[in-house]
Short mmCIF file of all heavy atoms in Angstrom, two decimals:
data_model
loop_
_atom_site.label_atom_id
_atom_site.label_comp_id
_atom_site.label_asym_id
_atom_site.label_seq_id
_atom_site.Cartn_x
_atom_site.Cartn_y
_atom_site.Cartn_z
N GLN A 254 5.88 -23.56 -4.37
CA GLN A 254 6.49 -24.33 -5.46
C GLN A 254 5.42 -24.86 -6.41
O GLN A 254 4.50 -25.56 -6.01
CB GLN A 254 7.30 -25.50 -4.90
CG GLN A 254 8.13 -26.22 -5.95
CD GLN A 254 8.88 -27.40 -5.37
OE1 GLN A 254 8.28 -28.35 -4.87
NE2 GLN A 254 10.20 -27.34 -5.41
N LEU A 255 5.55 -24.48 -7.67
CA LEU A 255 4.65 -24.99 -8.71
C LEU A 255 5.25 -26.16 -9.47
O LEU A 255 4.53 -27.04 -9.95
CB LEU A 255 4.29 -23.88 -9.70
CG LEU A 255 3.43 -22.73 -9.20
CD1 LEU A 255 3.07 -21.82 -10.37
CD2 LEU A 255 2.16 -23.23 -8.52
N ASP A 256 6.56 -26.16 -9.61
CA ASP A 256 7.24 -27.19 -10.42
C ASP A 256 8.54 -27.57 -9.74
O ASP A 256 9.50 -26.80 -9.76
CB ASP A 256 7.51 -26.64 -11.82
CG ASP A 256 8.19 -27.66 -12.72
OD1 ASP A 256 8.45 -28.78 -12.26
OD2 ASP A 256 8.47 -27.31 -13.88
N PRO A 257 8.62 -28.75 -9.14
CA PRO A 257 9.85 -29.15 -8.43
C PRO A 257 11.05 -29.30 -9.35
O PRO A 257 12.19 -29.38 -8.87
CB PRO A 257 9.47 -30.50 -7.79
CG PRO A 257 8.32 -31.00 -8.61
CD PRO A 257 7.59 -29.80 -9.08
N PHE A 258 10.83 -29.32 -10.66
CA PHE A 258 11.93 -29.41 -11.62
C PHE A 258 12.06 -28.11 -12.43
O PHE A 258 12.72 -28.08 -13.46
CB PHE A 258 11.70 -30.59 -12.57
CG PHE A 258 11.51 -31.90 -11.86
CD1 PHE A 258 10.25 -32.45 -11.72
CD2 PHE A 258 12.59 -32.57 -11.30
CE1 PHE A 258 10.06 -33.66 -11.05
CE2 PHE A 258 12.42 -33.77 -10.63
CZ PHE A 258 11.15 -34.32 -10.51
N GLY A 259 11.44 -27.04 -11.94
CA GLY A 259 11.41 -25.79 -12.67
C GLY A 259 12.65 -24.95 -12.46
O GLY A 259 13.65 -25.38 -11.85
N ALA A 260 12.58 -23.72 -12.94
CA ALA A 260 13.72 -22.79 -12.87
C ALA A 260 14.06 -22.48 -11.42
O ALA A 260 13.21 -22.50 -10.53
CB ALA A 260 13.37 -21.50 -13.61
N ARG A 266 15.25 -22.24 -3.99
CA ARG A 266 14.42 -23.40 -4.30
C ARG A 266 14.15 -23.46 -5.80
O ARG A 266 14.48 -22.53 -6.54
CB ARG A 266 13.12 -23.34 -3.52
CG ARG A 266 13.32 -23.36 -1.99
CD ARG A 266 12.00 -23.18 -1.26
NE ARG A 266 12.17 -23.23 0.18
CZ ARG A 266 12.51 -22.20 0.94
NH1 ARG A 266 12.73 -21.01 0.40
NH2 ARG A 266 12.65 -22.34 2.25
N LEU A 267 13.52 -24.53 -6.23
CA LEU A 267 13.22 -24.72 -7.65
C LEU A 267 11.73 -24.56 -7.91
O LEU A 267 10.89 -25.02 -7.13
CB LEU A 267 13.67 -26.10 -8.12
CG LEU A 267 15.17 -26.42 -8.03
CD1 LEU A 267 15.41 -27.86 -8.50
CD2 LEU A 267 15.99 -25.45 -8.86
N GLY A 268 11.41 -23.92 -9.05
CA GLY A 268 10.04 -23.89 -9.53
C GLY A 268 9.06 -23.07 -8.72
O GLY A 268 7.85 -23.30 -8.78
N CYS A 269 9.56 -22.08 -7.94
CA CYS A 269 8.63 -21.20 -7.22
C CYS A 269 7.81 -20.40 -8.22
O CYS A 269 8.22 -20.15 -9.36
CB CYS A 269 9.40 -20.23 -6.33
SG CYS A 269 10.23 -21.00 -4.92
#
Side-chain angles (χ1 to χ4, degrees):
Q254 189 182 62
L255 292 186
D256 181 0
F258 304 103
R266 299 175 178 85
L267 298 178
C269 291

